[in-house]
Amino acid sequence: MIRLGFLVYFAVLLLLPLYAQFKVKRTYKKYSKVRSTSGRTGAQVARLILDQNGLQDVKVVESHGYLSDHYNPMTKIVALSSHNYHEASVAGTAIAAHEVGHAIQHKEAYSFLKFRHMLVPVANISSNASWIFVMIGIFASMSNFLLLGIVLLAVGVLFQIVTLPVEFNASSRAMTQIVSHGVIRNEEETHARKVLNAAAMTYVAAAAVGVLELLRLVLIYTGMSRDE
């Protein structure tokens, strides 16, 4: 039973993130070749939705790098990877609308987005430092160091969990916007959802791996505490 649980743990830890990456790349590759009937490029879609939501102060720029699309709330910039910026594809439309969804969240002070922004500096520091204390705690059999590492790691896992509603909400907003403005039609709606769902799976995989790793360390700490 223990060996089976160990195998399941490593299967999730290793295979789930790989499958999520494979899924998003395959889905994006497929629908980036499907031209949207609106004929609008990702940049045009982003600009349309931004303007319709009173976000004329948010810029849309080209970002270099594969699937490097993102929204920067500090600079109020929606950055789209080259293909999505210039091409009129279903995948590019979905991704551009998703990033604008984050801009709309920012404008409306979406609670989970605000919470995630608050966690960013703490999560960056704690995630980097946590494994130092974890390694010291495990190899030197010092439970207090291990506990400190677990607490720091938990902040990073919390950040990953909070990211989930932020990303799902942005995708929901994206679909509402591109449908209501007639950017996509008929079966394109299904295709766009597939692109967004595949992208969301990467965040789900990261959160699942983080939670499992945290639970494993808690079990190690519990066993170590009993032996002291």
Side-chain angles (χ1 to χ4, degrees):
M1 181 64 75
I2 295 178
R3 180 177 297 179
L4 178 61
F6 192 71
L7 290 174
V8 170
Y9 165 75
F10 274 102
V12 173
L13 190 68
L14 298 175
L15 297 181
L16 186 57
L18 289 176
Y19 174 73
Q21 288 296 326
F22 167 75
K23 181 72 174 178
V24 69
K25 288 180 179 179
R26 187 180 67 172
T27 305
Y28 173 76
K29 183 178 180 179
K30 179 179 180 179
Y31 293 110
S32 64
K33 296 177 181 178
V34 178
R35 183 175 176 81
S36 61
T37 55
S38 71
R40 287 191 172 93
T41 65
Q44 291 171 334
V45 169
R47 186 72 269 158
L48 170 67
I49 300 174
L50 287 168
D51 291 345
Q52 290 293 325
N53 286 273
L55 290 167
Q56 287 82 5
D57 59 331
V58 176
K59 296 180 181 179
V60 181
V61 302
E62 181 179 357
S63 172
H64 299 290
Y66 182 73
L67 289 179
S68 55
D69 313 81
H70 64 278
Y71 169 66
N72 187 330
M74 302 300 293
T75 58
K76 290 190 175 182
I77 288 177
V78 170
L80 302 177
S81 53
S82 295
H83 188 275
N84 294 335
Y85 186 91
H86 293 288
E87 300 297 324
S89 70
V90 171
T93 293
I95 291 174
H98 175 88
E99 298 309 332
V100 173
H102 287 307
I104 297 173
Q105 289 176 334
H106 186 205
K107 175 189 176 183
E108 297 180 356
Y110 179 58
S111 58
F112 281 105
L113 183 68
K114 289 175 63 178
F115 187 34
R116 188 176 74 167
H117 286 169
M118 290 172 55
L119 287 174
V120 168
V122 180
N124 286 339
I125 296 173
S126 64
S127 295
N128 292 328
S130 62
W131 288 105
I132 297 176
F133 292 102
V134 167
M135 291 297 102
I136 293 175
I138 291 177
F139 290 110
S141 297
M142 300 173 67
S143 61
N144 288 338
F145 274 81
L146 177 56
L147 179 60
L148 178 57
I150 289 173
V151 171
L152 292 173
L153 185 62
V155 176
V157 174
L158 176 61
F159 177 81
Q160 292 174 324
I161 293 173
V162 172
T163 294
L164 295 180
V166 173
E167 295 300 326
F168 283 122
N169 180 264
S171 290
S172 176
R173 291 172 186 266
M175 289 304 304
T176 298
Q177 292 293 324
I178 56 182
V179 170
S180 63
H181 295 306
V183 178
I184 60 172
R185 302 178 182 87
N186 303 324
E187 73 278 0
E188 288 178 330
E189 184 175 346
T190 300
H191 299 164
R193 287 189 188 280
K194 288 181 179 179
V195 173
L196 295 176
N197 288 341
M201 183 177 286
T202 61
Y203 296 101
V204 173
V209 168
V211 170
L212 280 175
E213 188 62 17
L214 188 62
L215 289 175
R216 184 180 72 89
L217 293 176
V218 169
L219 290 175
I220 293 175
Y221 171 76
T222 301
M224 189 181 294
S225 298
R226 287 175 184 160
D227 296 335
E228 291 182 348

